[in-house]
Every structure is written in structure tokens, then in C-alpha cells.
Amino acid sequence: MTRANHRVTSLDVARAAGVSQSAVSRSFTAGASVAPETRTRVLAAASALGYRPNILARSLVSRTSGLVGIVMGHLTNPFYPAVLEAFGAALRRVDKRMLLIPVPDGDVDQVIGEVLQHQVDGIVVASATLSSALAEECARQGRPVVLFNRTTTAPTVATVSCDNDGAGRLVARTLVAAGHRRLLYVAGTPDSSTNVERERGFRAEAAALGAAVRVVAGLYRYDTAFAAVTAALTQPPDAVFAANDVMGCATIDAARRHGLAVPEDLSVIAMDDGPMAAWAGYDLTVIRQPVTDMVAAAVDLLLAAGRGEAPAHIRLPGTLTERGSARL
Amino acid sequence: MTRANHRVTSLDVARAAGVSQSAVSRSFTAGASVAPETRTRVLAAASALGYRPNILARSLVSRTSGLVGIVMGHLTNPFYPAVLEAFGAALRRVDKRMLLIPVPDGDVDQVIGEVLQHQVDGIVVASATLSSALAEECARQGRPVVLFNRTTTAPTVATVSCDNDGAGRLVARTLVAAGHRRLLYVAGTPDSSTNVERERGFRAEAAALGAAVRVVAGLYRYDTAFAAVTAALTQPPDAVFAANDVMGCATIDAARRHGLAVPEDLSVIAMDDGPMAAWAGYDLTVIRQPVTDMVAAAVDLLLAAGRGEAPAHIRLPGTLTERGSARL
DNA sequence: CTGTTAGCGCTTTCAT
DNA sequence: ATGAAAGCGCTAACAG
């Protein structure tokens, strides 16, 4: 038991163990030179007093906070909670924690400032972009930035994303091969690189194969996608590629409401593979993004940058997961 | 422009502005006594050099880190991302950030240790509980803990939750008033206070009104709930209360697959009001938890504890949101 | 209002 | 292997 309301410091432990304060510090530092016997004594005293090293103080001198800033846009898109969990696990493995900043919208730049003040060891920006001016400032301060699920031309930031162009092509190829000719693309937010690439790949491949592609704006959200698809159904396509799974669900719901059966009358393939894609009510055929690998790659890039390596750009392939929403 | 690869400190700014280092500190402290003219000069120098105060150093002396630990269980339950966003917004308003620890399962205690080392100003534990030993240690260190969406008997932790018992009663009353008699409760994880309270209230009120209640185990997950409900449908109930919205969706899907129409053959009411509850495919009648208010209350409790007030227990009522899944 | 002076709790040379 | 001492970058008295 320890006295109430008193922050136990390494000095307290030192006194209790009859050693110097630095001996205590060493006992808590992996691979420091302490006599095993000393260390045991120190650890005993420490746990008796309920001592835990103060990471803030340590960070101040070691110049690494053990914190990684995660700047994330729309947590309500079920893709991102999965990403968050993956980052939590991956970062814990390298003994770092997440400083999470859910950014309302747009004002990423301001938010990055806050994160920098916390002396984070790196920053992950997901579902948003930051100005190149700020990217440069991060670089100057030696704080690696990796853009997750977005690409950029800023030379100082690393990026990790799915091969969206390839995914779009794969879907087009798959649908056309199954005999579909009138294709509909339900787009995400038009300014996101993710959406742009998926659309580009999908259209290019479809065009090459002689299939027509119409595009409606779904903005990555259920309600907008539902409305857009409903409107598009006046001239029904035979297959839909939705830029994320939420909009895939919206497409299916809109089709059913319109009296169309999925997949008999309409094939639906969506990007992402969140929890609801597997629900019995949807059974959505999807392109699964390799979230775990993407996150692992992002963490690697962060660490690599910490070692002074140049920012890289990683693209991982998505994989087609066939379920019941597409007649292939 | 500033020199590459050099962390700008307040001393650098002081020199550049021709003032003392403390003048710089004051210029960045709200309500400190600095001549306006001095402050402008300092701020100018600071922004020229790209200076940002180092929060770590500040925290070390001010003894508040500006960090709140958020320990969260299942991010994949769509209820929690919404909670996270709300906390992000509410905490930012009091100038604090989130140290997010997604806890795999169970090992909350170990995780709290990490959080404590970061000198957090408080800890929010959502969808999990912590041992009372650890709760006591937090208290001793003066770090307020609030349990979110869980209750406990530990005297040192505050709690915020929905009035789950009341919600259960409300649903039973509503369902029975609409003529339903054979009720089914799709339970969440049996050891969560949340589930226990909902079930207790639902059963008590149903019993009082002379309606029968069967219970199946859904574990708060889609797949288990789908299987459990499917099995229960061999002797169909007329109404279902699902302990969360995901299981509500599972119930609807299971019913439809079984050839039952919702709400004609089966009324479904669920707890929580996540994004998909409003989807056209489900149109789920729900008890909405007042997330924003709950989060605001949690933040208040954190701040109150910081001022030395005793831990309180707050319960906010849920509200019935009628949509199309229940015949009322 | 401003500068000087102590630390916050820890890591890290540098001697011993 | 250990202790003494010098900071990490900042805030907070305390004089002036």
C-alpha cells in the first residue's frame, strides 16, 4: 500500500530500495547495465509503492513520445473502425499508442498542429488529406506522415492504399465476363483519390470490353446512394459497382424496393468488406481491402521514416470475395 | 523558413524576439500578464520560426497532460464509433485529446496501466469493466475513471449509462399495449450490466402485464443473433426485443428468411440507433440512447472529479423512435 | 509587465 | 555496476 494522493516517483523508489535514482531508471530500461540483484530489489520496492515510470518525463528526454497521431474522417463508415482496431493492435506491438483525432471535416491542417504539439512519433491520416505546406512542416520536424487509403503527390508523405484502379478493373472484367453490359458505378465523394481511382479503373476496363458505364453520386453514404440508385433505376442497369459496402447495401435495398431481385435482375458488387456485407440480408459480393496488411504496411512506413528512409508508396491488391449479390 | 531538422524551442523564439524565455511562455498562456506589444512580437517570431509549444514539457510541470484515456471494447459494434466521435468533439471543447486503447478483450487492467503511465487526466472505460483494485489505484493517483455504458459497485468510479431497466420496461409496455403476448428477448453478452438491466426490466414489466418472455442468446453480434432467432422461430413469438440494433437487423433477416413479414407477422424493437437502423431495408423501431448527452455527462464527471467532487452515477433515459419494424 | 530562478520526473554521460 | 550531475522544454513563483 502506498500513501494516498502522492505521485510516486523514481526517487521514492530509490530511497525505498536504498539505491540511487539512476539505478531505478536503469532497472526499468531494457538492456541497461544493472546487477540482477539490484534490479529485483528495485522492482520489488517499485511494486510495493505502486510506482510506474512517468512516460511524459521519459519522452521529454528521449524525444519520442510513444504516441502516433491518427487523424480520421468518418468513423461512421464501418470501414474505419476496423482500421482503427488494426492500428491499435499493430502499434501496440511496437509499443506505441494512438492519439485519435476524429476530424469533423476539412480542417485537417489545424488538427495536425495539435497532434504535433503532443510530439507524436508519427501521424497517420486516414480518409482525408493534408496540405503540402503542413506535410512539409511535419517532414522538417522529423515527424513521418503516412496517408492511409488516400494518395497524394506531396513528396514528403508516404502512402498506403488498396490498388483501387486494379479493383475497378477487376470488377468490370468480372461483370462483363458474366454477361453484364449496362453497368452503373455508384461513386463515393468525387474528390477522394480512392473514388477517382476506382471509377477510372472501372470505366477504362468496361470501355475496353465494350460495356457502357453510367455514374451516379453516392458520396459513400447510405442515404445519398439509396436516392441516387433509386433514380437511376428508371433505366435499370444489369450490374452495379458501388464504391463502398454501405452503398452496396443501399443499392440492394433500392433495387428490392423497386421490385428487382438481387442477383437475378441486378448484380451488385461493392468495395470494402465491412461487417454488414456478410449479413444474410445482403450477402454482398465484395472486393475486400486487405486492412491488416495495409495497416502493417503503414506502421512499417512510419518506423522506416523514423530510421530516415524516404517515404514510399504502397499499394496492396484487393481480393474478390464472392457471395450472393452478383450473378457471375 | 526555419533550419531543417532542428526542434524550435521557446528559447529560440525568445532570442529571435529579444525577450526572455518566460515571456515566450506567457505569450502562449491564456490570461498571462504580457504586454500586448510584447506578445505580438513573440507570436511573430514564433510563427516565423515555426514554433509550437511542446505539450509534453508543459504537462510535466503543469501536471495535466491534456489526454483522456479511452478504453474501448468492440469498435465493430457500430454504437461505439458514434460514441468515439462524440467524445472527440466533447473533449476537444475542453481542450483535451483522446488516447484510444481498443482492448482486445478482458485484459482491461493491464491496459489501464499503460494509460496511467501517460499521465492521462482521466479514463473512460466503455464496454468493459475494470477490477476494483485498479479502480482504487486510479483513485489514489487522482485519475478519475468513468465507466461508460456499464455500471459497477466500485465506489471510486463514476458511471454513465442509459436507463436500461426503464428501456426494457418501456418496450414491454409498448409491445403488450399493441396486443403482443408472446415475447422474445434477444440477449447481449450475459455478463454485461447493460444486458442484465435491459432483460430484467423487460421481463419484469412483461410479467406484470401477463405476457410470456422467452430469451435467446445473441451476444450482441449479428451471426449469433441470427442463428439464435432462427432456432427460436420454430415456435414464433409475435414480438422481439433485441438488446442492440445489430441483433435487431439479424432478427429481421432471420424472420424474412423464415417467411415471416416484418412487422405484419413479427414486431421488432431494438436497443441503440446506429446508422443501419434507419436503412430502408430494416427501418428499425428502436430505443435511441442519448449518446451526445451521455458523452457530455461523462466529460462533466471527469471534470468534476478533477475538481475533487465525489463520483456520481448518471442514468439517462432512452427514447422510443418509431419506424416501421413494429406494429404498435 | 518582465527577467531570473527553480524545478516537473526522467535518461544519460561521466566518473568512480 | 553504480552514483552524481546535467539537462529535456516548459511553467510558476519571486523579485524588480
Side-chain angles (χ1 to χ4, degrees), chain B residues 20 22-23 26 33-35 38 61 63:
Chain B
S20 76
S22 21
R26 289 190 185 104
S33 90
V34 214
T38 309
V61 26
R63 304 175 139 293

Side-chain angles (χ1 to χ4, degrees), chain A residues 20 22 26 33-35 38 61 63:
Chain A
S20 77
S22 15
R26 289 189 186 107
S33 93
V34 214
T38 310
V61 26
R63 304 171 140 296

Side-chain angles (χ1 to χ4, degrees), chain A:
Chain A
M1 273 304 101
T2 154
R3 286 163 294 173
N5 213 18
H6 173 261
R7 242 82 151 188
V8 185
T9 73
S10 57
L11 194 59
D12 299 322
V13 177
R15 280 197 272 261
V19 297
S20 77
Q21 183 269 329
S22 15
V24 176
S25 174
R26 289 189 186 107
S27 302
F28 279 92
T29 308
S33 93
V34 214
E37 193 257 340
T38 310
R39 155 169 278 145
T40 351
R41 199 142 43 92
V42 168
L43 293 182
S47 86
L49 294 175
Y51 167 78
R52 294 176 196 282
N54 181 331
I55 293 202
L56 256 42
R58 176 199 304 239
S59 305
L60 191 57
V61 26
S62 69
R63 304 171 140 296
T64 96
S65 63
L67 252 35
V68 171
I70 310 272
V71 179
M72 202 167 258
H74 307 277
L75 287 178
T76 41
N77 176 342
F79 177 67
Y80 289 106
V83 169
L84 218 44
E85 282 198 336
F87 267 112
L91 286 173
R92 142 156 309 152
R93 251 172 257 129
V94 295
D95 207 46
K96 299 202 180 303
R97 317 274 163 256
M98 299 189 286
L99 180 64
L100 174 65
I101 314 282
V103 29
D105 242 346
D107 33 307
V108 174
D109 273 25
Q110 192 213 318
V111 142
I112 297 276
E114 302 172 6
V115 172
L116 284 175
Q117 289 190 260
H118 278 277
Q119 314 300 113
V120 292
D121 297 339
I123 303 178
V124 174
V125 180
S127 80
T129 331
L130 74 175
S131 74
S132 47
L134 206 56
E136 215 180 286
E137 178 172 348
C138 293
R140 217 166 37 230
Q141 296 196 18
R143 311 208 184 277
V145 175
V146 14
L147 236 50
F148 189 91
N149 208 27
R150 285 285 186 284
T151 56
T152 178
T153 54
T156 59
V157 326
T159 64
V160 174
S161 62
C162 190
D163 175 6
N164 293 303
D165 184 276
R169 289 178 184 278
L170 173 57
V171 173
R173 219 176 308 130
T174 306
L175 288 173
V176 172
H180 302 295
R181 287 295 174 276
R182 299 186 315 280
L183 310 182
L184 178 69
Y185 177 68
V186 183
T189 46
D191 56 337
S192 70
S193 63
T194 314
N195 174 68
V196 170
E197 294 163 4
R198 288 170 193 172
E199 175 170 349
R200 182 166 16 88
F202 186 64
R203 298 183 78 144
E205 191 76 15
L209 299 172
V213 173
R214 265 192 304 156
V215 175
V216 294
L219 303 178
Y220 285 133
R221 281 168 26 206
Y222 182 96
D223 52 350
T224 36
F226 185 87
V229 171
T230 298
L233 252 26
T234 51
Q235 297 161 39
D238 19 64
V240 175
F241 176 35
N244 74 359
D245 50 4
V246 168
M247 297 195 298
C249 294
T251 301
I252 291 179
D253 284 339
R256 287 182 180 151
R257 167 133 333 170
H258 198 261
L260 298 176
V262 173
E264 291 77 7
D265 305 319
L266 186 72
S267 282
V268 178
I269 298 184
M271 199 69 198
D272 297 352
D273 185 18
M276 68 273 299
W279 288 7
Y282 295 111
D283 199 30
L284 206 53
T285 291
V286 295
I287 302 287
R288 197 176 64 71
Q289 298 204 55
V291 174
T292 311
D293 294 344
M294 287 168 69
V295 166
V299 171
D300 281 349
L301 289 181
L302 242 32
L303 299 178
R307 293 190 302 268
E309 298 178 25
H313 302 276
I314 298 204
R315 245 178 218 297
L316 268 35
T319 55
L320 180 68
T321 300
E322 281 196 50
R323 284 197 276 254
S325 67
R327 191 165 24 85
L328 300 181

Side-chain angles (χ1 to χ4, degrees), chain B:
Chain B
M1 275 303 100
T2 154
R3 285 164 295 172
N5 211 16
H6 174 261
R7 241 83 151 186
V8 185
T9 74
S10 58
L11 193 58
D12 297 323
V13 178
R15 280 198 271 260
V19 298
S20 76
Q21 182 271 328
S22 21
V24 177
S25 174
R26 289 190 185 104
S27 302
F28 280 92
T29 309
S33 90
V34 214
E37 192 256 340
T38 309
R39 155 169 277 146
T40 356
R41 199 143 41 92
V42 168
L43 293 183
S47 85
L49 293 176
Y51 168 76
R52 295 178 196 281
N54 180 333
I55 292 203
L56 255 41
R58 179 202 304 242
S59 304
L60 190 58
V61 26
S62 68
R63 304 175 139 293
T64 94
S65 63
L67 252 33
V68 171
I70 310 270
V71 179
M72 201 167 258
H74 308 277
L75 286 178
T76 42
N77 176 341
F79 177 68
Y80 289 106
V83 169
L84 217 44
E85 280 198 337
F87 268 111
L91 287 173
R92 142 156 307 155
R93 250 172 256 128
V94 294
D95 208 44
K96 299 203 182 301
R97 318 273 164 256
M98 299 189 285
L99 180 63
L100 174 65
I101 313 282
V103 28
D105 241 346
D107 35 308
V108 173
D109 273 26
Q110 190 213 319
V111 143
I112 297 275
E114 302 171 7
V115 172
L116 284 174
Q117 289 191 270
H118 278 276
Q119 313 300 111
V120 292
D121 297 339
I123 302 178
V124 174
V125 180
S127 80
T129 330
L130 75 175
S131 75
S132 48
L134 206 57
E136 214 179 284
E137 177 172 349
C138 293
R140 217 168 34 232
Q141 295 195 19
R143 312 207 183 274
V145 174
V146 16
L147 236 49
F148 188 90
N149 207 27
R150 285 285 186 284
T151 57
T152 178
T153 54
T156 58
V157 326
T159 63
V160 175
S161 61
C162 190
D163 176 5
N164 292 305
D165 184 276
R169 290 179 183 278
L170 172 58
V171 173
R173 219 177 306 128
T174 306
L175 254 16
V176 171
H180 301 296
R181 287 295 174 275
R182 300 187 313 281
L183 310 182
L184 178 68
Y185 177 67
V186 183
T189 46
D191 56 336
S192 71
S193 63
T194 315
N195 175 68
V196 169
E197 295 163 5
R198 288 170 192 174
E199 175 170 350
R200 182 169 12 89
F202 186 63
R203 299 183 78 143
E205 191 77 15
L209 299 172
V213 173
R214 264 191 305 155
V215 176
V216 294
L219 304 177
Y220 284 134
R221 279 166 29 205
Y222 183 95
D223 52 350
T224 37
F226 186 86
V229 171
T230 298
L233 252 25
T234 52
Q235 296 162 39
D238 24 57
V240 174
F241 176 35
N244 76 358
D245 50 3
V246 168
M247 297 195 297
C249 294
T251 301
I252 291 179
D253 284 340
R256 287 182 180 151
R257 165 127 341 165
H258 198 260
L260 299 176
V262 174
E264 292 77 6
D265 304 319
L266 185 72
S267 282
V268 178
I269 298 184
M271 198 73 197
D272 298 352
D273 185 17
M276 68 273 300
W279 288 7
Y282 295 110
D283 199 30
L284 207 52
T285 291
V286 294
I287 303 286
R288 198 175 64 71
Q289 297 204 57
V291 174
T292 311
D293 294 344
M294 288 169 68
V295 166
V299 172
D300 282 350
L301 289 182
L302 241 30
L303 298 178
R307 293 190 303 267
E309 296 178 27
H313 300 274
I314 300 206
R315 246 179 215 296
L316 268 32
T319 55
L320 180 69
T321 301
E322 281 196 48
R323 285 198 274 254
S325 67
R327 192 165 22 87
L328 300 182

